[in-house]
Amino acid sequence: MSRTTVPPRRARTALITASALIAAAAGTAIVLDGPASAAAAGCTVDYKIQTSWDSGFTANVSVTNTGDAVSSWKLEWSFAGNQKVTQGWNSTITQTGAAVSAANAAWNGALATGASASFGFNASATGTNAVPTVFKLNGVTCNTPGGGDPTTPPPTDPPTTPPPAGSKVDNPYVGAGVYVNPEWSAKAAAEPGGTKVSNQPTGVWLDRIAAIEGVGNGMGLRDHLDEALRQAAGQPLVVQLVIYNLPGRDCSALASNGELGPTEIDRYKTEYIDPIAAILGDSKYASLRIVTTVEIDSLPNLVTNVTPRPTATPQCDVMKANGNYVKGVGYALNHLGAVSNVYNYVDAGHHGWLGWDDNFGATAQMFKQAATAEGSTVDKVHGFIVNTANYGATKENNFTINDNVAGRSVRESKWVDWNRYVDEQSFAQAFRQEAVRAGFPSGVGMLIDTSRNGWGGTARPAGPGAQTSVDTYVDGGRYDRRIHLGNWCNQAGAGLGERPKAAPAAGIDAYVWMKPPGESDGASKEIPNDQGKGFDRMCDPTYTGNPRNNNNLSGALANAPLSGDWFSAQFQELLKNAYPAL
């Protein structure tokens, strides 16, 4: 079987950009976009300080184009005091001394004559915080209160055109910014070199009941949604949530076990899904595009890790017998999918898990069973996500599944091991077709988590391997440098992958960073905790393996904390080995 490709699912043109920018602690900004358009321009500007406190403030800025239509824009001004921008949204903000410029994001650059764009920022400030007096749009001085030509005052409330509340689009990522989680962003920015990526959007993991209200002093779901509204400033914004708290969670991996026991399906429904659905259904959040990735590493376990498979575990047999994975996913899809601006994406494992013949079709059928359980329908599944929290390369360019060396197919190599796919993109495109054959709507889309699958650095092959044997050919050319495809915990040598991007390939809604880089997959040794997380030997770098990784070393980094906790060494590894390089 050849690598499957699919015709374009829809017209996909826009690129996703981060909707916020976190500056370095010293106030140094990061330039992410190119220069603004050279078209002649004029403008009016409305600069409003929304809130202020002892050491800073939040400002919203609306700019209306009164000159020729432009395809991109850059607004410039200077502060009169010691203000320093620390975070921005809906634009790319840079600052040198007192001089500030805000350039359009990828989705709001076009401004016809009379059209407006809005953005905002947080800044530190002490002493006098005067409103800037002069603004320039693409080098042309604007008409603003106290600046430029004051004879034409700006409108008090420049017009904006937010999407209709509750309206659903074909691909939620096209034409939208994506929410930057300020908690993850702050941790990333505090790392050496972290400001290079701290503006990237990542998933918000609701991995226990307490996460809905916020764990400790952390942000809860409403806090994130309120912050998303602020980042959106009236423009389309995607918020990415990971729904992850099934009873008997992750029956084949102890490191990510959860708080609910195998039989606690009622608690899952009433204490977890129902409160989330109620919050998402608040009309206050109707303008947001809420992407839910539903129950990572759940349903595929019922295909691959149950009796009579050699990789079976007693825990997975229990979950298949009691049906609570299927019931839980169906309930989540039904109740979350009832909210008109929610887009459900079901986790579909990865090519190194489900790419074999006896797993591929059976998994699609299992998804159909769950999508029609507990009152749900397949129409409440907007798509599927692959490679979440995993390391499979997006595209292997140095070999394909169709290649032969010395009369042997690459499928016979130890690495591929008779899999039908060699990378995540070919797997995702083929799985989309399989899901449609199983009964899902023809318009379903796919997401690929690229947060940790770049595999750059000095170990990245520059070309195909030697053709002395099928193994030297594959091993010498593969980007994925894991010891075995079955290794999944805090992998040594991994790097950040493709940056988040909308519609990057046929059938793919977006590349996303659903797993926040720098968050551990699991502890290297047993650590007592109240989250239900166990010690999985696959997170121990000395572990020599099990049938699921063909008894190979785990390839894990040492000294890792509990899953979900910040792991600085992993973050630095990902920065160092990023591809594309930072």
Side-chain angles (χ1 to χ4, degrees), residues 219-568:
M219 297 173 69
L221 178 55
R222 281 194 180 274
D223 297 321
H224 285 293
L225 296 177
D226 289 340
E227 170 64 14
L229 289 176
R230 192 173 64 79
Q231 290 185 19
Q235 303 298 325
L237 188 80
V238 172
V239 180
Q240 302 174 127
L241 304 177
V242 179
I243 307 301
Y244 186 54
N245 198 32
L246 272 179
R249 189 177 75 192
D250 251 4
C251 57
S252 66
L254 298 175
S256 44
N257 288 166
E259 65 184 350
L260 299 179
T263 63
E264 293 188 279
I265 186 67
D266 290 338
R267 286 193 66 198
Y268 177 79
K269 293 177 178 180
T270 61
E271 297 182 39
Y272 181 67
I273 293 298
D274 288 353
I276 292 173
I279 293 171
L280 300 186
D282 189 332
S283 60
K284 177 182 181 180
Y285 307 120
S287 63
L288 298 171
R289 299 176 183 180
I290 300 171
V291 165
T292 60
T293 56
V294 179
E295 294 299 350
I296 307 304
D297 294 341
S298 60
L299 297 175
N301 273 308
L302 303 185
V303 174
T304 65
N305 294 322
V306 294
T307 302
R309 297 292 184 93
T311 53
T313 70
Q315 295 89 342
C316 290
D317 282 339
V318 167
M319 298 317 300
K320 184 171 184 178
N322 68 24
N324 284 342
Y325 277 8
V326 169
K327 294 173 188 175
V329 170
Y331 191 88
L333 292 173
N334 188 30
H335 286 72
L336 301 177
V339 181
S340 60
N341 57 316
V342 166
Y343 300 78
N344 286 323
Y345 288 80
V346 178
D347 179 64
H350 52 85
H351 89 277
W353 186 359
L354 303 178
W356 284 271
D357 294 342
D358 52 354
N359 299 341
F360 193 71
T363 300
Q365 292 298 326
M366 177 63 68
F367 290 168
K368 171 74 176 299
Q369 181 185 349
T372 53
E374 297 290 315
S376 183
T377 68
V378 293
D379 291 329
K380 290 187 176 179
V381 176
H382 199 76
F384 300 90
I385 182 169
V386 302
N387 206 46
T388 305
N390 211 268
Y391 297 85
T394 302
K395 290 182 286 186
E396 289 282 11
N397 295 326
N398 292 331
F399 65 98
T400 77
I401 201 67
N402 299 315
D403 293 348
N404 290 274
V405 176
R408 295 178 63 193
S409 166
V410 299
R411 293 190 67 205
E412 298 180 63
S413 67
K414 291 180 181 178
W415 175 256
V416 179
D417 193 23
W418 298 102
N419 202 313
R420 291 283 182 184
Y421 307 96
V422 300
D423 54 33
E424 291 305 310
Q425 190 147 294
S426 62
F427 169 73
Q429 290 169 326
F431 190 82
R432 193 187 80 79
Q433 289 187 317
E434 186 67 19
V436 172
R437 282 192 287 270
F440 287 92
S442 60
V444 294
M446 303 295 296
L447 303 177
I448 301 176
D449 188 345
T450 61
S451 60
R452 305 184 302 176
N453 70 346
W455 297 103
T458 58
R460 184 178 178 87
Q467 296 192 30
T468 52
S469 73
V470 70
D471 286 319
T472 58
Y473 177 67
V474 171
D475 289 339
R478 60 183 168 93
Y479 300 139
D480 188 337
R481 306 313 297 171
R482 284 179 291 177
I483 299 169
H484 188 271
L485 267 176
N487 290 354
W488 53 265
C489 193
N490 300 323
Q491 291 298 283
L496 300 168
E498 291 276 357
R499 313 309 178 249
K501 180 187 300 184
I508 309 300
D509 281 353
Y511 295 153
V512 297
W513 282 10
M514 202 60 67
K515 171 72 172 182
E519 292 190 1
S520 174
D521 295 321
S524 301
K525 60 183 180 181
E526 188 168 2
I527 299 175
N529 66 92
D530 61 358
Q531 302 172 45
K533 297 172 181 176
F535 170 46
D536 196 304
R537 290 296 306 280
M538 287 296 291
C539 300
D540 176 357
T542 68
Y543 184 49
T544 55
N546 55 47
R548 287 189 291 279
N549 81 333
N550 204 21
N551 296 300
N552 282 281
L553 283 167
S554 68
L557 293 170
N559 302 315
L562 284 175
S563 61
D565 287 0
W566 189 255
F567 188 11
S568 178

